[in-house]
Amino acid sequence: MLLGVNIDHIAVLREARKINDPDPLDALFLAIKAGADQITIHLREDRRHINEYDVERIIKHSNIPVNVECSVDPDIIEIIAELKPHRVTFVPEKREEVTTEGGLNFNDINYANLDKAVHFLKAREIETSFFIDPTKEAVRSAKGIGVEWIELHTGTYTNIFAMLNSNLSYTPHSIKELEVERSRLKKMLAKSLNSLEEAANSAEEYGLKIAAGHGLNYQNVSEICKIELIEELNIGQSIIARSIFSGFEDAVKEMVKLVK
Ligand code: PXP
């Protein structure tokens, strides 16, 4: 399995001071050294972390694929297309969210725009991917639009895992709707893994390449690695969190070891 390292949070720290330190470009070089297979960054409409100057320099200096996440906003797509990353992953984007909360909702967004965006990028030889919830319906919709990749949102699985296996439920960030009996949580965990597996199976039947990500960490990643049809994981928060204590290079190396 391949590891894409999401380095948005390096820019989150920089933006806390609005200076030029730490520089996500330094993270690129260390991630490569540590064995990462891909770098993932999200150019948000509000530029709350990564900006186009970062995207430009990261693409220019990277010898591994760069995967840029973005919304279907035509201006953002045009900026990214000019910079020619390896892949663009379309994600839903809300100003008020802390992180990407779910997959693309094909009933909500402008279908015609998405279709246009995918063809615009394909014509420029840029791979395309949709970040989707692990359902057969979402996989079918993605296939209908013609992307090469899907990325399955692992957030439901990782939230349940955290409520079962960490101290999250005792903290102010406990997930209220998951404050249920442990036996029920265990069943929910199995069901969430099953959904990921079934979505991966239908994606494989449609000939789509399969990535997954969101909330994956050093404890919960092994169950996802067992789903052999998933080719690639994109992981950010947990790697950056560990790097505060053990250094970024070691944190990436440790995750590479688990994912391989
Ligand atoms: N994949 C996608 C499409 C994402 O939007 C994110 C979050 O930015 C990730 C992977 C990484 O998630 P995390 O930071 O929770 O590892």
Side-chain angles (χ1 to χ4, degrees):
M1 204 172 269
L2 303 173
L3 175 66
V5 178
N6 182 317
I7 57 173
D8 292 343
H9 289 300
I10 308 274
V12 168
L13 188 54
R14 175 190 66 193
E15 294 305 311
R17 270 297 171 94
K18 306 235 172 281
I19 49 169
N20 57 355
D21 181 36
D23 188 340
L25 188 63
D26 289 331
L28 165 75
F29 300 128
L30 289 172
I32 293 171
K33 199 166 159 224
D37 301 291
Q38 172 169 273
I39 283 293
T40 295
I41 44 180
H42 185 168
L43 184 65
R44 280 185 171 265
E45 289 169 29
D46 62 10
R47 313 294 198 272
R48 74 164 79 147
H49 38 60
I50 294 289
N51 57 46
E52 38 272 81
Y53 181 58
D54 296 321
V55 182
E56 185 184 341
R57 287 182 310 146
I58 287 167
I59 291 172
K60 184 171 163 204
H61 293 287
S62 183
N63 62 5
I64 57 174
V66 178
N67 171 31
V68 181
E69 297 172 9
C70 68
S71 71
V72 278
D73 178 80
D75 294 338
I76 291 276
I77 296 167
E78 205 149 308
I79 291 168
I80 295 171
E82 277 287 305
L83 300 172
K84 257 191 158 286
H86 190 80
R87 189 189 311 161
V88 168
T89 299
F90 290 107
V91 300
E93 209 177 281
K94 290 190 224 127
R95 292 270 156 123
E96 65 277 16
E97 72 191 357
V98 175
T99 180
T100 315
E101 282 161 3
L104 290 167
N105 179 344
F106 293 98
N107 299 318
D108 265 10
I109 56 174
N110 187 333
Y111 225 91
N113 264 357
L114 206 46
D115 192 63
K116 215 164 106 191
V118 167
H119 289 97
F120 176 76
L121 293 168
K122 275 182 150 179
R124 283 154 185 79
E125 295 177 350
I126 298 169
E127 282 184 353
T128 51
S129 178
F130 288 161
F131 192 38
I132 60 171
D133 290 325
T135 67
K136 288 183 184 172
E137 297 71 39
V139 174
R140 196 179 322 117
S141 300
K143 175 65 185 173
I145 300 177
V147 277
E148 296 101 329
W149 282 85
I150 50 146
E151 179 167 344
L152 298 173
H153 197 300
T154 50
T156 302
Y157 160 72
T158 59
N159 281 346
I160 300 169
F161 188 101
M163 289 295 278
L164 258 176
N165 300 304
S166 76
N167 69 345
L168 183 65
S169 63
Y170 301 104
T171 74
H173 299 306
S174 173
I175 302 164
K176 294 285 168 241
E177 63 273 23
L178 295 178
E179 288 177 357
V180 297
E181 298 262 310
R182 285 186 67 77
S183 57
R184 192 156 153 228
L185 270 184
K186 283 182 187 165
K187 282 189 191 140
M188 289 167 83
L189 190 74
K191 196 167 161 224
S192 66
L193 278 169
N194 196 43
S195 307
L196 286 160
E197 248 181 286
E198 286 191 350
N201 284 335
S202 35
E204 145 97 342
E205 279 167 23
Y206 286 128
L208 293 162
K209 294 183 191 164
I210 309 160
H214 204 276
L216 296 173
N217 62 29
Y218 298 85
Q219 290 77 42
N220 65 26
V221 77
S222 63
E223 285 302 313
I224 300 297
C225 289
K226 289 181 192 161
I227 307 175
E228 288 178 4
L229 292 176
I230 298 177
E231 286 181 43
E232 169 197 296
L233 300 178
N234 287 299
I235 307 181
Q237 159 77 29
S238 62
I239 293 176
I240 308 302
R242 179 166 291 202
S243 74
I244 291 171
F245 303 112
S246 69
F248 182 70
E249 195 179 330
D250 280 353
V252 174
K253 269 189 193 154
E254 199 56 36
M255 192 58 87
V256 167
K257 221 191 294 169
L258 291 174
V259 166
K260 308 280 168 195

